[in-house]
Amino acid sequence: MRTGWEDWPWEQGTVSLFGRLHLEPRRSFFQADVGCDYRYAGRTLRGQGWHPDLAQLRSEIETELGTPFNSVLVNAYRNGRDYMGYHQDNEPELGPHPHVASLSLGASRDFILRSKDASKKRFTLALHSGDLLWMQPPCQHMFEHALPMRLRVDSPRINLTFRQIVPVLL
């Protein structure tokens, strides 16, 4: 069964971590309003407009949450071997109080929040197809998050992370 996802502009990006280049352990693509650029781990993604389906989805999420978004990073996890390590969405262009709305489609996967304080307390959420997770301030200041490998998962998951990019003053 074709889902339409196969035709999206997927790529496997290269990121810089601890001074070394690595292929990202997933495929992704970025869409945003023209002029909205997003940088992470040495990678720059440029906003060049929206696919109509993603623009409609953005509008629905904005209405549901009452928060504007001008970009989306779409990640494809082909199976449980694809993952995202611990990180925060705290890049300067996300502003001092970033909101991230994360929509899960496809296979269920665990999402882990780990506190940044000395306790390193962890919280695991099972995200299922259709779940919308909204990380509001101060989430990015207090926690790191990850999508760990789950080798028993053999079907794909698509994750759309909507963000508001703000101008960065130099």
Side-chain angles (χ1 to χ4, degrees), residues 52-62 103 105 160 162:
D53 292 340
L54 291 176
Q56 175 63 36
L57 187 55
R58 170 180 74 164
S59 178
E60 292 171 14
I61 289 174
E62 288 176 332
L103 177 64
L105 302 172
L160 300 98
F162 292 88

Side-chain angles (χ1 to χ4, degrees), residues 13-16 24 26 28 38-45 73 75 84 91 93:
T14 302
V15 295
S16 175
E24 289 183 300
R26 68 198 158 282
S28 64
Y38 184 53
R39 294 167 200 81
Y40 70 91
R43 187 172 181 206
T44 299
L45 306 172
L73 179 62
N75 291 296
M84 171 67 85
E91 292 78 16
E93 59 267 35

